[in-house]
Amino acid sequence: MILGFDIGGTKCAVITANVSGGEIKLLKKEKCATRFDISPEEMIDSLIRSAENILEGTRPEKIGISCGGPLDSRNGIILGPPNLPGWDEVHISERISRHFGVPALLQNDANACAVAEWKFGAGRGTRNMIFLTFGTGLGAGLILDGRLYTGTNDNAGECGHLRLERFGPVGYGKQGSFEGFCSGGGLAQLGCAMARERVQRGICPAYYQNGESGVTAKSIADAAHARDETALEVYRVCGEYLGRGLAVLVDLLNPERIVLGSIFARSGDLLRDTMEKALEAEALAASRACCGIVPAELGESIGDYAALATALL
């Protein structure tokens, strides 16, 4: 049996599973809100108690921990993620490992999700695969030559920081970045900017009926599926820059598969045409020809699988 800890800014979970012959079976799960009225160490102790509840006296063979970065995966230290205020230099692996008497491996959530999709999802059978989160933000996990690649200090895969244009929506603290054009926040920025322009011409997009407060990637996608012209244009622009960003990764890393999560998994039909056109225009033909672009398979359970997959590294 393996044990996983999924540490998030709003909620946490502990999960158990059995793995056999490359297949995984989720067993039990307990989740709770992430508390900031207690210390990180107290929060971790609370999660350990939850783990003991679902283990029911069984000792785990391996333990994995998935958490947002920055972190030091080699030494198992959380280094102050923006969504976990106060979690500065938290030695989480040591604390959990000491309790259970089993090594506890820590990985940032993008890398952990990449491993999960590689072992149990849309990346199965590949040796060179890229996973892009494409949700609230845009980060990548890299599987290169059959193993996770994390870089010198765990910062490999931060493709959202790439600048695609001098001007444009802001993401990762940079205007015109890959994350600015291709993330939930970026889509909302694009949607608001285009809507303001249309309103001045007497056209109010369907997703903008209540102003900017209700503009999200989902509300724009819903309007696009109802054939709202402005919403379709927002996703067309996002798809174009998605293709341009992917072309950089295809040319640089020559993967056989790129797995896209969250927004692409839900709204790929709105993005694929312009994404493919940009890819064909920008990427090396031979590299593009051997690379499949597919949606993630693990859906809303990917956080569970990510924590568990980290245990198997």
Side-chain angles (χ1 to χ4, degrees), residues 5-13 32-36 43 47 66-68 83-84 87 109:
F5 291 81
D6 181 17
I7 312 293
T10 56
K11 63 182 185 298
C12 299
C32 65
T34 306
R35 294 178 59 184
F36 297 102
M43 184 70 208
L47 292 172
S66 171
C67 180
N83 66 335
L84 291 170
W87 287 56
D109 47 9

Side-chain angles (χ1 to χ4, degrees), residues 149-163:
Y149 177 76
T150 61
T152 303
N153 65 345
D154 283 315
N155 278 321
E158 298 293 2
C159 61
H161 199 243
L162 294 171
R163 194 188 299 277

Side-chain angles (χ1 to χ4, degrees), residues 125-183:
T126 63
R127 286 190 61 78
N128 296 289
M129 184 206 93
I130 300 171
F131 171 80
L132 266 67
T133 55
F134 200 178
T136 304
L138 184 75
L142 309 175
I143 306 297
L144 303 178
D145 200 22
R147 61 188 301 176
L148 176 67
Y149 177 76
T150 61
T152 303
N153 65 345
D154 283 315
N155 278 321
E158 298 293 2
C159 61
H161 199 243
L162 294 171
R163 194 188 299 277
L164 301 182
E165 289 286 2
R166 184 176 178 186
F167 301 107
V170 177
Y172 217 132
K174 182 182 285 187
Q175 192 172 24
S177 65
F178 194 1
E179 182 174 294
F181 283 104
C182 299
S183 65

Side-chain angles (χ1 to χ4, degrees), residues 42-294:
E42 289 173 307
M43 184 70 208
I44 294 167
D45 287 344
S46 175
L47 292 172
I48 288 173
R49 289 193 294 272
S50 294
E52 292 284 12
N53 288 337
I54 61 175
L55 285 167
E56 297 179 333
T58 305
R59 179 181 174 182
E61 299 171 22
K62 299 179 180 180
I63 301 173
I65 310 162
S66 171
C67 180
L71 48 78
D72 176 351
S73 65
R74 289 169 180 81
N75 294 303
I77 306 170
I78 298 173
L79 299 174
N83 66 335
L84 291 170
W87 287 56
D88 304 318
E89 297 213 12
V90 177
H91 292 246
I92 189 170
S93 290
E94 179 185 355
R95 197 175 193 91
I96 292 175
S97 179
R98 186 170 63 242
H99 179 88
F100 290 101
V102 178
L105 304 180
L106 173 67
Q107 224 9 285
N108 80 51
D109 47 9
N111 287 343
C113 288
V115 176
E117 286 287 346
W118 176 43
K119 289 185 175 295
F120 309 119
R124 281 173 294 186
T126 63
R127 286 190 61 78
N128 296 289
M129 184 206 93
I130 300 171
F131 171 80
L132 266 67
T133 55
F134 200 178
T136 304
L138 184 75
L142 309 175
I143 306 297
L144 303 178
D145 200 22
R147 61 188 301 176
L148 176 67
Y149 177 76
T150 61
T152 303
N153 65 345
D154 283 315
N155 278 321
E158 298 293 2
C159 61
H161 199 243
L162 294 171
R163 194 188 299 277
L164 301 182
E165 289 286 2
R166 184 176 178 186
F167 301 107
V170 177
Y172 217 132
K174 182 182 285 187
Q175 192 172 24
S177 65
F178 194 1
E179 182 174 294
F181 283 104
C182 299
S183 65
L187 277 161
Q189 290 178 63
L190 282 170
C192 287
M194 289 187 187
R196 287 193 293 269
E197 178 187 348
R198 303 301 197 276
V199 166
Q200 290 183 17
R201 292 190 278 139
I203 303 167
C204 186
Y207 62 85
Y208 202 71
Q209 298 299 317
N210 297 314
E212 296 189 3
S213 62
V215 178
T216 64
K218 183 181 185 305
S219 67
I220 300 170
D222 289 343
H225 283 125
R227 312 314 296 169
D228 179 271
E229 289 296 328
T230 308
L232 287 166
E233 178 67 5
V234 171
Y235 270 85
R236 186 199 69 76
V237 170
C238 178
E240 178 183 345
Y241 283 95
L242 176 61
R244 289 174 60 177
L246 293 181
V248 174
L249 300 178
V250 167
D251 286 355
L252 189 65
L253 298 175
N254 191 203
E256 61 197 280
R257 197 169 302 161
I258 298 178
V259 179
L260 301 175
S262 294
I263 291 171
F264 189 85
R266 294 191 299 268
S267 305
D269 58 317
L270 300 171
L271 296 162
R272 189 172 283 277
D273 285 350
T274 50
M275 177 196 78
E276 293 283 4
K277 288 177 184 176
L279 260 173
E280 294 299 331
E282 298 289 338
L284 289 167
S287 297
R288 172 66 189 97
C290 70
C291 180
I293 314 291
V294 300

